[in-house]
Amino acid sequence: MDELRWYHKLLIVLTIIVFLPLIIVGIIIVAISLIFQIPKNKKAYKKSRYYADFRQKFMTSLLYSPEYRFYNSAMRRNLPLKYIKQESNGFEYFIYDNTIYLFPDFEHIDVNEEGKKWLADYDGDWKPFDECYEKLLTKLESPPDYPIKLLVERNMIPPINLYGIDIPDCIFVTWRYETTFENENLPFKMIVPQNSKELYDMMLQTPNLCDNFELSANNEIIVWNLYKNIRINIEVDSHDCCVSICKLLLENIESSITHWHPTIFEIYDEVCNIGKRGNVLVLRSSRRGGSLLYAGSKDECPYSPHKKYLFGKYYYLEVK
């Protein structure tokens, strides 16, 4: 490749100089928002069942760990399991239905291009999965009395379609840690939806999901009249998804409240959080725009149904 000419190099330097202040301001804004988020996260952690039972010191990363996410959900759902947190090394696992389940310590798992060797991703450092799994087993204090499975969340496995892929026998794939052992026999967890029609078909198979949704004639938009005078439009594409919440002024006249863009690995979770019975959707709108404050279980919602904002409108929508 030819070397860059001097004026190309100068242009690059000038571009960096022009945009550097904006980049610095952006970094500062993100840092400040993260700092202000810490007290809120710490308060939520202190209210969790995990903290009540284990009294582990707060760390922001803990809130996103498989152990924390699974444990709080499992206790709330009263799953009949035995949960162990070893005193010697803090290693956590649980026994359910005569099977030991371990949590992964890696971020992703994928099969190589030849489709024969599985690799585990540790912050961009890919290592042979077999070695990583054996290392996890060595953390058990005593020899296991039951078969062992590694509980892996679906979004940790990049391939869109897992049919035809030889997944290691030691791996148990679940859609989300918060819903482990719910509807595990349904086939759709093996395929991530790449278009609105595929997501629509998944919604039709999902128990406890409120209906009143339909697919547009061109198969591009899922229209969901979930609440009175509120319409949800969902579009799914392999490169971009969009969830749009609108207020119905007249039958077919919509006024946007807010929208957001989940990935194809997130869109089904968003649908369940929004539309399962017993869940709530909390929104805020103002002249400057709207925002999603919360979607999920009513019992875990940090917002009051009667909260008011001086400027803007507050929506607390419950699925019944």
Side-chain angles (χ1 to χ4, degrees):
M1 182 182 291
D2 295 336
E3 290 188 7
L4 292 175
R5 297 182 181 275
W6 69 267
Y7 49 84
H8 288 154
K9 295 179 180 178
L10 178 60
L11 181 60
I12 293 173
V13 172
L14 290 176
T15 302
I16 293 174
I17 292 174
V18 170
F19 287 101
L20 185 59
L22 295 177
I23 295 172
I24 293 174
V25 170
I27 293 173
I28 292 174
I29 291 174
V30 171
I32 291 175
S33 65
L34 291 175
I35 291 172
F36 278 101
Q37 188 70 23
I38 290 175
K40 182 179 179 181
N41 289 341
K42 189 172 183 179
K43 184 178 180 180
Y45 174 67
K46 290 295 182 69
K47 292 181 179 180
S48 71
R49 177 65 182 273
Y50 188 93
Y51 175 75
D53 290 347
F54 301 118
R55 297 289 170 174
Q56 184 167 330
K57 184 179 179 180
F58 170 77
M59 294 183 296
T60 300
S61 60
L62 181 60
L63 301 182
Y64 307 101
S65 69
E67 295 87 345
Y68 179 83
R69 293 170 54 203
F70 171 82
Y71 185 81
N72 288 324
S73 171
M75 295 301 101
R76 186 181 68 253
R77 292 181 288 148
N78 295 316
L79 291 182
L81 56 83
K82 181 180 180 181
Y83 196 92
I84 296 97
K85 185 178 176 68
Q86 298 178 163
E87 293 185 6
S88 63
N89 55 9
F91 188 64
E92 299 176 44
Y93 63 96
F94 65 93
I95 302 173
Y96 177 82
D97 195 22
N98 295 325
T99 301
I100 293 175
Y101 289 89
L102 309 182
F103 297 100
D105 60 352
F106 47 80
E107 298 171 3
H108 299 94
I109 181 174
D110 201 357
V111 66
N112 64 3
E113 294 181 357
E114 292 76 22
K116 296 180 179 180
K117 188 173 183 179
W118 284 84
L119 304 172
D121 174 24
Y122 291 85
D123 194 23
D125 183 15
W126 291 87
K127 301 179 180 179
F129 169 74
D130 292 343
E131 296 178 9
C132 301
Y133 179 65
E134 290 297 326
K135 188 174 180 180
L136 282 174
L137 295 181
T138 63
K139 296 183 179 182
L140 292 170
E141 290 178 337
S142 56
D145 296 325
Y146 302 103
I148 299 177
K149 293 286 186 179
L150 186 62
L151 189 63
V152 174
E153 197 172 45
R154 178 61 179 88
N155 62 16
M156 298 174 67
I157 311 177
I160 299 300
N161 190 337
L162 295 183
Y163 285 113
I165 295 180
D166 190 16
I167 300 174
D169 292 336
C170 63
I171 290 180
F172 182 90
V173 180
T174 188
W175 186 259
R176 293 179 68 231
Y177 288 120
E178 289 84 351
T179 58
T180 301
F181 305 129
E182 289 183 5
N183 308 316
E184 295 288 5
N185 292 326
L186 293 179
F188 56 65
K189 75 175 181 180
M190 302 298 285
I191 301 178
V192 176
Q194 297 187 78
N195 55 60
S196 299
K197 176 64 167 58
E198 291 181 0
L199 177 62
Y200 176 76
D201 291 339
M202 291 173 66
M203 293 170 67
L204 290 175
Q205 299 178 67
T206 303
N208 298 322
L209 192 67
C210 291
D211 50 14
N212 297 325
F213 56 83
E214 58 185 23
L215 188 65
S216 63
N218 60 5
N219 290 341
E220 293 184 357
I221 302 176
I222 298 171
V223 180
W224 202 357
N225 295 309
L226 188 57
Y227 313 98
K228 184 178 180 181
N229 298 326
I230 300 291
R231 174 171 291 170
I232 303 172
N233 296 316
I234 305 172
E235 299 176 71
V236 180
D237 183 86
S238 59
H239 302 292
D240 184 37
C241 302
C242 182
V243 178
S244 176
I245 313 291
C246 304
K247 185 174 182 180
L248 286 177
L249 303 180
L250 294 173
E251 183 177 357
N252 290 311
I253 300 180
E254 303 173 354
S255 176
S256 177
I257 298 175
T258 189
H259 74 279
W260 63 96
H261 296 271
T263 68
I264 55 175
F265 284 93
E266 298 168 336
I267 186 64
Y268 179 70
D269 292 337
E270 295 292 274
V271 165
C272 292
N273 288 336
I274 291 171
K276 279 199 170 184
R277 287 180 176 84
N279 285 6
V280 295
L281 177 66
V282 184
L283 309 169
R284 181 186 180 184
S285 66
S286 65
R287 291 182 179 180
R288 293 182 296 176
S291 58
L292 169 69
L293 300 180
Y294 178 82
S297 170
K298 180 180 178 181
D299 295 336
E300 297 184 2
C301 180
Y303 296 94
S304 165
H306 311 294
K307 187 177 180 66
K308 295 185 181 296
Y309 284 103
L310 183 60
F311 302 102
K313 185 168 179 60
Y314 178 73
Y315 298 86
Y316 184 96
L317 307 170
E318 182 175 354
V319 183
K320 297 181 179 179

